[in-house]
Structure formats: structure tokens, C-alpha cells
Amino acid sequence: MSRRDLLAYCNDLGWRDPPEFNPHPERETPPKAEPAPSTSPEIGSLADLKSSIGDCQLCPLCEKRKNVVFGEGAETAPLMFVGEGPGAEEDRTGRPFVGQAGQLLDAMVFALGFERNQVYIANVVKCRPPGNRDPQEVEMSTCSPFLDRQIQLIKPHIIVALGRIAAHRLTGSTKPMRALRSHWMTYQGTPLLATYHPAYLLRSPKEKRTAWEDMKLVLAKLTE
Ligand code: SF4
């Protein structure tokens, strides 16, 4: 999607407040969160981590996946988005959040003043759950060290959990999304905000404005 298309899309969604909106704001760099304790000190880069995952077969999700979807974005991204797991298009391409939900996430990112390659996008599980079912507890707990290490290496200023599964996994809460969203929490010392998953927003367009309210909280924290 071109920048012009993204801008038009954001306008259509109401994801634009004229006094605040600026695709490339001059902002002071917020202080970095304290790095979390390392669980794999020997893995010192995202490239090393990706290599270490390789053709991972640690959980049953390896059986039907086409590609491990490691995640992508800036290695020092201030913002990290975490979803639950790859879907069919992600499994086919090996990239997170592509397809329609990915375009909506791109619009969120753009409305916050970033390009997609300036943030980091990953999932709780790196392989597609068959039929897009929810990842099971054993699958998430087996795969979580990879996400934890990604977070430790990237050291984002803010994590945005996309959807109920990611929010529950990262916060330990089982509250519904409507109770979790709009409240700042932390994950390993990093500020975390939960909001609706882009795929849910496609099914429930009236919540897109609600999601933008959440993104405005992210914007405010980034510019504190
Ligand atoms: S989901 Fe994670 S733990 Fe399971 S096979 Fe894929 S990379 Fe390995």
C-alpha cells in the first residue's frame, strides 16, 4: 500500500487527529526500559536467534507449517507489536501480518508516524496453528522463550499486544479485551498496552475507533 493509500485509509478509519497527526514527528527519544534478565545470553543478535530457531520442531505446530514466521522490523525498534500466531498468508510467505489484517496494522503503524520497517512485528508462536485455531498452552509455553529473547534483544520502549491471546500470554491476565485495553501494564519491565487484533477489527469495524484511542495512548507515551 502506498503512503497516499495509507493516508487515505487512515482518514477513512478516523485514525487521524489533525492537530497531532504527523507521519514523521520530531520526537525526543524516550528512555529505554530496563533490559529484562537474559534467558539465552549466548544468543546476541536477532540473526543468531533466527538461526537458532531454524527448522524448529519443539512443538506440534511444526508438523503442518510451511514456514517459521520469525518476525521482522527494526532491530532497535521503539515499538514492538505482538500478535498470537501466523495465519495462512503468513505461513505461506514466512512474514508476520501480511494480507488484510497486515494492511490494517500497517495503517496503525503509519498513523503513529512510523513506517513498517521502523517498528518490530512478531507473534507469540512462530508457526501457524492449523485452521487458525488458538495456539494451545503447551505451544505458547514452548515457543515463548524465542519471543522473550526477541524482546530482550530489541529492547522496545513499548510493546503493543494485539488481541486477546497475546494480551493474556504477556500479562498473565484472563480478563476480556475490553477490560484489558487502555490500561498500561508491563512485560519484563517494558510498558505494554493491549488492543484489538487487526483481524478482529476487520470483523468489527466499529471498534476501529476504539483501537485508535489505544494508539493515541501509545503515541502519548512515546512522546512523554
Ligand atoms: S511454534 Fe515455536 S516452538 Fe513450536 S515448532 Fe514453531 S518455532 Fe518451534
Side-chain angles (χ1 to χ4, degrees):
M1 203 184 279
S2 70
R3 291 178 61 81
R4 175 180 290 191
D5 290 343
L6 274 172
L7 183 56
Y9 194 35
C10 290
N11 283 338
D12 288 347
L13 296 173
W15 287 1
R16 182 174 185 241
D17 284 352
E20 296 175 20
F21 183 83
N22 177 356
H24 295 289
E26 293 293 328
R27 63 166 75 88
E28 292 187 6
T29 304
K32 289 247 181 185
E34 285 298 312
S38 169
T39 53
S40 307
E42 71 280 8
I43 295 177
S45 71
L46 289 174
D48 288 346
L49 180 61
K50 188 172 184 178
S51 295
S52 80
I53 293 177
D55 186 32
C56 178
Q57 302 192 358
L58 288 175
C59 89
L61 291 182
C62 70
E63 293 169 10
K64 295 193 174 173
R65 66 144 191 257
K66 292 187 177 74
N67 286 294
V68 174
V69 182
F70 177 72
E72 65 183 27
E75 296 202 2
T76 56
L79 252 183
M80 184 167 179
F81 293 86
V82 179
E84 62 189 70
E89 191 63 11
E90 288 78 14
D91 184 44
R92 188 182 69 77
T93 61
R95 298 184 58 211
F97 282 90
V98 289
Q100 274 194 303
Q103 287 186 355
L104 194 51
L105 180 59
D106 287 350
M108 277 186 187
V109 168
F110 183 77
L112 287 167
F114 293 93
E115 306 282 353
R116 181 179 166 110
N117 63 6
Q118 293 177 308
V119 302
Y120 202 90
I121 303 170
N123 284 299
V124 171
V125 293
K126 311 297 185 198
C127 302
R128 183 193 181 203
N132 290 344
R133 65 161 170 74
D134 292 348
Q136 294 173 353
E137 179 55 35
V138 65
E139 296 158 352
M140 290 191 285
S141 59
T142 305
C143 204
S144 281
F146 297 138
L147 175 65
D148 287 346
R149 192 63 187 147
Q150 277 176 307
I151 293 170
Q152 289 161 5
L153 290 167
I154 295 163
K155 303 182 181 68
H157 303 162
I158 292 174
I159 298 169
V160 176
L162 297 168
R164 172 181 56 88
I165 300 290
H168 286 179
R169 183 70 205 173
L170 295 178
T171 67
S173 173
T174 56
K175 291 179 180 175
M177 180 55 72
R178 65 179 178 280
L180 284 176
R181 60 161 291 275
S182 85
H183 300 294
W184 283 105
M185 297 167 277
T186 60
Y187 183 68
Q188 295 186 344
T190 303
L192 179 148
L193 195 81
T195 192
Y196 294 112
H197 193 287
Y200 173 77
L201 295 177
L202 291 172
R203 297 192 301 272
S204 307
K206 67 178 177 19
E207 299 291 5
K208 288 177 180 172
R209 283 187 179 276
T210 314
W212 178 232
E213 293 304 313
D214 296 335
M215 291 305 99
K216 286 198 286 189
L217 293 175
V218 170
L219 196 55
K221 196 152 194 83
L222 278 172
T223 53
E224 272 178 2

